[in-house]
Amino acid sequence: TIAAVVGDGSDLGVRVRYSWEQPIVLGSAGGPRHALPIIGAPTFFIVNGDTLTDLALAPLARAHTASGAMVTMALTPNREPDRYGGVRMTADGHVTEFVPRGTDAAGSYHFIGVQAANAAVFAGLKDGEKINSTRGVYDTLLASTPGSVRGYLCDAAFWDIGTPEDYAATDAAFRSAGS
């Protein structure tokens, strides 16, 4: 596991703390809510554990701060709408909706698993409750506070490692690139 390899991070020159979600996985919003006491910051990054990307975080942080948004999601054009749901947004970057994969996702943007978020988005949630960000908390934000969720368009690479097959394909791609 990551905890077994990374430990407390001291041999890497960092401090690592863990927010355990047991006995249930709390979801993409419930997890950050549960971790708020150890995050201790008004704004932080959320990086999905089942994806890899080469996204530079500093420009995303600057865009988030400049926009005044509560959430800023890193997005690329959705090149696989039959596989991934999408994000629709206005020309100035306001996210307007999340669409399911398939024909509805054609022409949308793909969330690559990295975002900057304000702690206030999660603070009002009940700790220990399973809840998702998209198809959950963020949909409520879109309805109650238009413009509070923004997209950050980037050209970062994205690799899905969320299934054994995707992990194997990503591993093979990295191995062949290194040869």
Side-chain angles (χ1 to χ4, degrees):
T1 68
I2 291 173
V5 173
V6 176
D8 69 0
S10 58
D11 60 336
L12 301 170
V14 297
R15 179 179 178 213
V16 177
R17 297 187 299 168
Y18 300 91
S19 176
W20 301 104
E21 298 179 27
Q22 295 178 357
I24 63 169
V25 175
L26 298 175
S28 55
R33 165 56 190 100
H34 187 65
L36 286 179
I38 65 172
I39 293 171
T43 303
F44 51 88
F45 292 111
I46 301 172
V47 181
N48 290 4
D50 61 354
T51 62
L52 297 175
T53 182
D54 61 358
L55 177 72
L57 295 176
L60 173 63
R62 284 192 297 272
H64 179 71
T65 300
S67 74
M70 297 182 77
V71 175
T72 304
M73 305 173 75
L75 306 173
T76 61
N78 191 348
R79 293 181 178 90
E80 296 183 74
D82 289 334
R83 183 169 183 196
Y84 298 109
V87 178
R88 296 217 182 275
M89 65 180 177
T90 62
D92 63 354
H94 293 119
V95 171
T96 58
E97 68 176 322
F98 302 101
V99 295
R101 68 179 172 208
T103 56
D104 288 344
S108 68
Y109 295 97
H110 175 69
F111 171 53
I112 62 170
V114 180
Q115 58 192 301
N118 294 1
V121 171
F122 307 99
L125 303 176
K126 182 179 176 188
D127 190 18
E129 185 174 291
K130 181 177 182 170
I131 186 166
N132 287 324
S133 51
T134 60
R135 304 282 188 221
V137 173
Y138 294 177
D139 294 294
T140 301
L141 275 175
L142 295 179
S144 67
T145 314
S148 60
V149 180
R150 294 190 52 96
Y152 171 74
L153 290 180
C154 62
D155 60 359
F158 166 82
W159 297 274
D160 194 332
I161 58 170
T163 66
E165 298 80 14
D166 288 334
Y167 182 87
T170 298
D171 181 60
F174 275 84
R175 287 177 189 269
S176 67
S179 327

